[in-house]
Amino acid sequence: MDKITLIIPCYNEQSAIPFLKKELYKVMEGFEGVEFEVILVDNCSEDDTLSMMKELHREDPRFQYISFSRNFGKDSSMYAGLKASTGDYVTIMDADLQDPPELLHEMYEALKTGEYDCAAAYRADRKGEPWLRSVLAERFYKLINKISDAEMVSGARDFRLMTRQMVDAVVSLEESERFTKGIFSWVGFRTKWIPFENRERVAGKTKLPMRSAFSYALRGIVAFSTAPLVLTSILGMGICVFAFFYTIFVIIRQLVSHEAVPGYPSLMCVLLFGFGITFLVLGIIGQYLAQMYLEVKHRPKYIVRESSLAGDKDDGRQGAVR
Ligand code: UDP
Ligand code: MG
């Protein structure tokens, strides 16, 4: 009998959990001959999310929970869930039902054919999303696909059903600055893409404001592309070539006309431009250095405060959770 693990990262989702519970039961009952395991990962919520998870676990032992000692971000929650999962197939789903659970049937069928290792959902449209966010997101995907080897689909969600083999591959990437969408793409495997219509969250508010979406995108670029570094080198070289010819030009002009250089404005321009570029380049290098610094420290990706999984005192650093 196949076993499917559902991983659900939750942060302050008390208003969504009752809806989630209903939908999950509906989906699980729709499958025949499949065993389920639900791993709810609490990102140190401030509301009743954890106590609701405990209640679910008491009612139905198929529901397990892991609760972090603080908010380690959604990517760490997904990692913790993937690591703890025991299913032959594993899926990650948002708690707010923006990932339609009924798609699981189609995903499961696709994997059962043996043709695919992963069935992933993407939003065919971005209806209901703030305009600026959609535009920036589209730009981001165009950019990252150009400058990185990992191909990322615009509108793709973390919602996907994966085989055990692919899950093990994802877990084997141990970086702590995780950009999970990139990791999914980087590990490869054959993915079937399933489109669906965008949905609004069922209850509560988004936990990913524009500002953090922006820094998340930046992390993605730094994690999956070194193109900005190459670009800055090319830029630096270009400026050097320009400066070289300009110097020759200034010397020749001085030799020919013998006039004192009046060029205060041009000097200022070159100076400011040069300084501007220098700081820009330093900033870009700094981004990479910062990410390296965080990786080198090799801190755990999450710390578990309590969990229903036996012996789960794991810190996400290495080894199996149980
Ligand atoms: N989430 C989380 N930790 C966080 C932020 C979000 O586990 O720090 C969860 C959240 O509970 C939800 C999912 O990640 O299940 C997606 O978050 P959200 O719906 O707020 O993001 P959006 O769909 O607006 O991008
Ligand atoms: Mg959402």
Side-chain angles (χ1 to χ4, degrees):
M1 191 152 88
D2 280 341
K3 182 173 178 184
I4 298 182
T5 303
L6 306 171
I7 298 166
I8 304 175
C10 300
Y11 176 59
N12 292 348
E13 297 288 5
Q14 63 174 18
S15 52
I17 286 180
F19 297 99
L20 176 73
K21 178 183 166 187
K22 214 171 104 213
E23 286 300 315
L24 286 185
Y25 272 109
K26 219 171 16 184
V27 169
M28 292 194 289
E29 275 154 22
F31 276 89
E32 255 174 50
V34 176
E35 203 186 322
F36 277 93
E37 166 188 63
V38 183
I39 301 179
L40 304 154
V41 188
D42 167 43
N43 227 316
C44 200
S45 304
E46 287 120 33
D47 62 4
D48 284 334
T49 301
L50 179 59
S51 51
M52 290 169 101
M53 286 180 178
K54 286 182 179 167
E55 179 69 33
L56 278 172
H57 174 63
R58 259 196 304 274
E59 282 172 14
D60 185 343
R62 288 181 299 176
F63 284 82
Q64 303 283 357
Y65 62 88
I66 301 173
S67 180
F68 289 173
S69 61
R70 68 166 176 84
N71 187 331
F72 282 89
K74 189 188 170 190
D75 290 88
S76 293
S77 306
M78 292 193 277
Y79 184 77
L82 289 174
K83 241 182 131 186
S85 67
T86 58
D88 309 295
Y89 299 95
V90 181
T91 186
I92 301 167
M93 208 184 271
D94 282 4
D96 58 7
L97 294 176
Q98 283 192 300
D99 300 324
E102 63 274 12
L103 277 186
L104 267 182
H105 290 281
E106 199 180 333
M107 291 177 168
Y108 181 64
E109 270 157 36
L111 294 199
K112 281 311 264 186
T113 62
E115 230 177 289
Y116 298 101
D117 309 291
C118 170
Y122 73 96
R123 293 173 293 169
D125 61 272
R126 287 177 177 273
K127 240 185 285 165
E129 200 183 52
W131 167 83
L132 186 64
R133 191 170 176 148
S134 300
V135 173
L136 290 178
E138 286 294 336
R139 288 273 110 215
F140 167 73
Y141 281 103
K142 283 231 167 73
L143 177 73
I144 192 114
N145 280 320
K146 218 174 252 162
I147 63 176
S148 139
D149 292 337
E151 200 181 311
M152 292 172 219
V153 173
S154 171
R157 302 193 49 95
D158 297 315
F159 180 35
R160 57 187 62 219
L161 187 67
M162 295 171 273
T163 57
R164 169 60 32 201
Q165 192 190 9
M166 178 162 170
V167 172
D168 289 343
V170 170
V171 171
S172 75
L173 267 72
E174 289 199 10
E175 59 219 68
S176 33
E177 286 295 284
R178 297 182 81 76
F179 183 71
T180 308
K181 280 194 181 73
I183 292 176
F184 284 147
S185 147
W186 189 91
V187 296
F189 293 101
R190 281 166 301 175
T191 302
K192 178 176 177 156
W193 288 101
I194 302 172
F196 71 96
E197 239 172 72
N198 195 25
R199 297 189 176 180
E200 307 254 341
R201 69 162 32 242
V202 64
K205 279 202 297 266
T206 177
K207 312 294 179 308
L208 197 73
M210 198 74 160
R211 196 163 45 85
S212 43
F214 187 75
S215 58
Y216 190 59
L218 192 66
R219 187 203 297 178
I221 291 175
V222 174
F224 282 91
S225 169
T226 46
L229 291 177
V230 177
L231 215 70
T232 54
S233 318
I234 294 172
L235 201 68
M237 257 187 296
I239 291 170
C240 284
V241 171
F242 171 76
F244 176 73
F245 285 111
Y246 190 68
T247 312
I248 291 177
F249 166 73
V250 170
I251 292 170
I252 293 175
R253 193 175 60 176
Q254 187 59 20
L255 289 177
V256 172
S257 67
H258 292 292
E259 63 185 32
V261 182
Y264 178 72
S266 61
L267 203 68
M268 269 325 262
C269 286
V270 174
L271 217 66
L272 289 177
F273 184 60
F275 270 125
I277 295 287
T278 310
F279 280 108
L280 175 74
V281 170
L282 277 179
I284 292 172
I285 295 172
Q287 288 293 326
Y288 283 85
L289 202 66
Q291 203 165 94
M292 261 166 65
Y293 175 58
L294 292 172
E295 293 299 342
V296 162
K297 280 197 281 193
H298 203 59
R299 284 192 179 157
K301 290 173 257 308
Y302 59 88
I303 294 166
V304 175
R305 188 176 162 272
E306 56 179 302
S307 164
S308 61
L309 298 167
D312 194 353
K313 284 281 167 263
D314 173 76
D315 61 2
R317 197 147 23 196
Q318 56 205 198
V321 173
R322 45 178 169 155

